[in-house]
């Protein structure tokens, strides 16, 4: 490993800023590029232009995943990096974007140094990683690895009523490349931690050894809409009360099960949502996660029991729909070791750790040796325009990715 080879952090930061200008949230550093919106299309067009400027062979598949490949000395499956460029509506500029733009920076660095690795190098961005508009999260990478048939993915309806297939056609990203996509030789994703651990421990690089399991459910509670002034409390069938009790229960359950169990109700709506009307229905989402599959199943079971008992006692009915369900993933120990060793050899402090967030790498892990590199997030803040990682941490993480990829490509 030639540790004097280094990426250009100014060039990487400039690309991060140029991409963040698309869908920029005024007065912040963040951006809103929900999957398959006009803003997502504009971001895609910019990144594809950069890929072509670097001479990459660019392919687009039927779910809109984009892969850019730089030829190696030999043919064969590439060493791939990448992530996503869609964001939540209140996104930062680093979540996902870093892993894609770091890949372009690495290719530019390798080309400028006149290096031709034995294996090809590839950079990918996968469609709808966030799942904030079209559940589940990691949709594009799930389809890429054959975890969901394309036809099923194209039929998914978003929170705004739009359909994945229609939106892909509309923005011009329903491509011809076949699915499932070809398995890479290996996959390594650079991402901001989005949590507080690295910063709190004063560590520069995370060698990510797995991703916790994710369970997303949509709940619709239906009751009896009625007059808020005239309906005695004892005669109500109030879905708003059931939803509120569930919000509190999800938190209590996570606290009782203890770290690393987490639970969130991130979306809630009452209908008709008026001051003097007992709601007719309430809908909300539940996001629960754990690194342990058995504990995650226990949390799911206990939430379901509470929901049904509370609704029944209130005279309400319940419908639930699974929006996403992925078991915990363990990354390839040899690739995790390589990330850890590379970070140490470059002089960085490094820690093996699991990921609290979902990532495209957890899907690629189904088809090839996979790991991730984390860089610290200031105050552990993410899914928030205030998300921030310092240039020196971005540089460290990107150099770890660079040298990890080169070793994988030359071995
Ligand atoms: C996806 O990024 C998630 O972890 O929610
Ligand atoms: Mn992400
Ligand atoms: Mn995210």
């Amino acid at each position: 490993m030639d540790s004097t080879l280094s990426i250009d952090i100014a060039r990487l930061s400039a690309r991060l800023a140029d991409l963040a200008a698309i869908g920029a949230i005024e007065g912040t550093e963040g951006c809103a590029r929900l999957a398959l919106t006009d803003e997502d299309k504009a971001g895609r067009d910019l990144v594809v232009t950069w890929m072509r400027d670097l001479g990459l062979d660019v392919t687009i598949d039927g779910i809109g995943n984009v892969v850019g490949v730089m030829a190696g000395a030999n043919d064969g499956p590439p060493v791939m990096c990448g992530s996503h460029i869609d964001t939540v509506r209140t996104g930062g500029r680093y979540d996902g974007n870093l892993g894609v733009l770091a890949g372009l920076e690495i290719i530019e660095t390798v080309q400028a140094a006149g290096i031709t690795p034995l294996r090809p190098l590839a950079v990918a961005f996968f469609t709808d990683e966030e799942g904030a508009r079209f559940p589940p999260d990691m949709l594009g990478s799930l389809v890429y690895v054959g975890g969901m048939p394309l036809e099923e993915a194209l039929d998914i309806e978003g929170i705004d009523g739009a359909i994945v297939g229609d939106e892909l056609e509309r923005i011009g990203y329903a491509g011809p490349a076949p699915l499932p996509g070809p398995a890479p030789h290996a996959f390594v994703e650079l991402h901001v931690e989005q949590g507080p651990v690295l910063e709190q421990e004063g560590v520069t690089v995370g060698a990510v050894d797995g991703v916790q399991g994710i369970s997303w459910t949509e709940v619709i509670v239906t009751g009896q809409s009625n007059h808020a002034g005239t309906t005695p409390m004892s005669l109500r069938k109030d879905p708003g009360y059931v939803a509120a009790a569930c919000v509190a229960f999800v938190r209590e359950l996570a606290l009782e099960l203890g770290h690393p169990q987490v639970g969130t109700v991130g979306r809630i709506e009452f209908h008709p949502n008026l001051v003097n009307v007992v709601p007719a229905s309430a809908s909300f989402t539940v996001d629960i996660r754990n690194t342990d599959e058995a504990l995650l199943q226990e949390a799911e079971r206990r939430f379901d029991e509470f929901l049904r008992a509370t609704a029944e006692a209130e005279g309400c009915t319940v419908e639930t729909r699974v929006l996403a369900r992925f078991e915990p993933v363990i990354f390839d120990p040899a690739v995790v070791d390589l990330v850890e060793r590379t970070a140490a050899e470059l002089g960085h402090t490094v820690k093996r750790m699991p990921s609290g967030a979902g990532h495209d790498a957890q899907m690629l892990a189904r088809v090839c040796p996979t790991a991730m590199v984390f860089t610290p997030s200031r105050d552990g803040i993410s899914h928030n325009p205030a998300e921030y990682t310092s240039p020196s941490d971005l540089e460290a993480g990107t150099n770890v990715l660079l040298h990890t990829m080169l070793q994988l490509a030359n071995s």
Side-chain angles (χ1 to χ4, degrees):
M1 181 177 110
D2 170 15
S3 56
T4 61
L5 183 69
S6 176
I7 63 100
D8 180 340
I9 184 58
R11 203 164 51 191
L12 173 57
S13 296
R15 282 206 182 99
L16 281 163
D18 287 350
L19 185 52
I22 300 174
I25 301 171
E26 219 187 305
T28 77
E29 298 269 289
C31 45
R33 289 195 311 274
L34 284 173
L36 311 184
T37 55
D38 291 348
E39 291 76 21
D40 185 27
K41 174 191 165 38
R44 286 165 171 268
D45 290 351
L46 180 61
V47 175
V48 168
T49 301
W50 283 332
M51 286 178 163
R52 297 220 161 99
D53 288 349
L54 290 170
L56 303 186
D57 178 22
V58 177
T59 56
I60 306 174
D61 66 29
I63 193 68
N65 299 317
V66 176
V67 181
V69 180
M70 178 189 120
N74 301 332
D75 289 340
V79 173
M80 186 185 282
C81 68
S83 192
H84 60 98
I85 61 167
D86 69 311
T87 75
V88 295
R89 208 196 303 278
T90 53
R93 65 173 55 186
Y94 304 97
D95 179 357
N97 304 299
L98 171 63
V100 178
L101 302 185
L104 297 185
E105 176 52 37
I106 283 166
I107 289 198
E108 193 156 358
T109 300
V110 167
Q111 288 176 344
I115 296 169
T116 305
L118 291 180
R119 297 178 209 282
L121 299 181
V123 188
F125 62 87
F126 296 97
T127 296
D128 185 42
E129 188 275 348
E130 294 291 4
R133 186 179 183 208
F134 299 105
D137 50 350
M138 286 86 67
L139 179 66
S141 47
L142 180 67
V143 176
Y144 187 91
V145 302
M148 183 190 281
L150 175 62
E151 303 66 43
E152 188 181 331
L154 294 178
D155 281 346
I156 291 172
E157 186 180 334
I159 56 172
D160 52 3
I163 305 294
V164 166
D166 296 345
E167 287 294 84
L168 274 169
E169 293 286 350
R170 186 184 69 81
I171 69 168
Y173 276 87
L179 285 163
H185 173 71
F187 184 80
V188 188
E189 179 171 356
L190 172 66
H191 205 285
V192 288
E193 180 199 341
Q194 311 181 269
V197 175
L198 291 173
E199 183 184 66
Q200 274 177 10
E201 298 191 11
V203 174
T204 306
V205 175
V208 184
D209 55 12
V211 179
Q212 65 182 348
I214 300 176
S215 170
W216 285 1
T217 307
E218 180 180 67
V219 180
I220 300 174
V221 186
T222 305
Q224 175 64 62
S225 195
N226 211 332
H227 194 293
T230 61
T231 315
M233 298 308 286
S234 60
L235 294 182
R236 292 187 182 208
K237 299 176 177 177
D238 183 351
Y241 160 70
V242 176
C246 286
V247 174
F249 181 78
V250 165
R251 182 180 170 86
E252 283 154 20
L253 178 64
L255 289 170
E256 186 194 320
L257 291 174
H259 180 80
Q261 180 67 52
V262 286
T264 306
V265 174
R267 187 153 66 82
I268 188 162
E269 277 167 47
F270 287 0
H271 306 276
N273 212 25
L274 296 168
V275 63
N276 54 355
V277 182
V278 176
S281 67
S283 60
F284 59 99
T285 55
V286 181
D287 172 323
I288 50 183
R289 310 192 193 196
N290 200 308
T291 48
D292 183 303
E293 173 64 19
L295 287 174
L296 184 56
Q297 286 184 19
E298 183 185 336
E300 289 177 314
R301 184 183 51 73
R302 287 184 51 188
F303 171 72
D304 196 68
E305 271 172 23
F306 179 87
L307 166 67
R308 286 176 203 284
T310 309
E312 194 184 321
E314 186 66 12
C316 293
T317 57
V318 164
E319 282 167 71
T320 58
R321 186 163 72 99
V322 175
L323 299 179
R325 182 62 168 87
F326 301 115
E327 289 188 12
V329 171
I330 295 173
F331 287 143
D332 187 302
V335 186
V336 183
D337 284 347
L338 180 64
V339 169
E340 198 176 20
R341 209 165 50 237
T342 302
E345 281 177 31
L346 290 174
H348 303 303
T349 48
V350 55
K351 176 188 172 74
R352 283 175 99 98
M353 61 190 297
S355 169
H359 295 292
D360 295 306
Q362 76 191 81
M363 298 305 163
L364 273 292
R366 297 184 186 187
V367 297
C368 67
T370 296
M372 292 184 70
V373 182
F374 269 179
T375 56
S377 294
R378 185 175 67 192
D379 299 330
I381 287 183
S382 186
H383 284 185
N384 181 326
E387 178 185 82
Y388 178 79
T389 299
S390 71
S392 67
D393 286 342
L394 295 175
E395 183 176 27
T398 308
N399 277 324
V400 171
L401 180 64
L402 163 70
H403 289 287
T404 300
M405 289 183 77
L406 283 178
Q407 289 172 86
L408 288 165
N410 286 323
S411 64

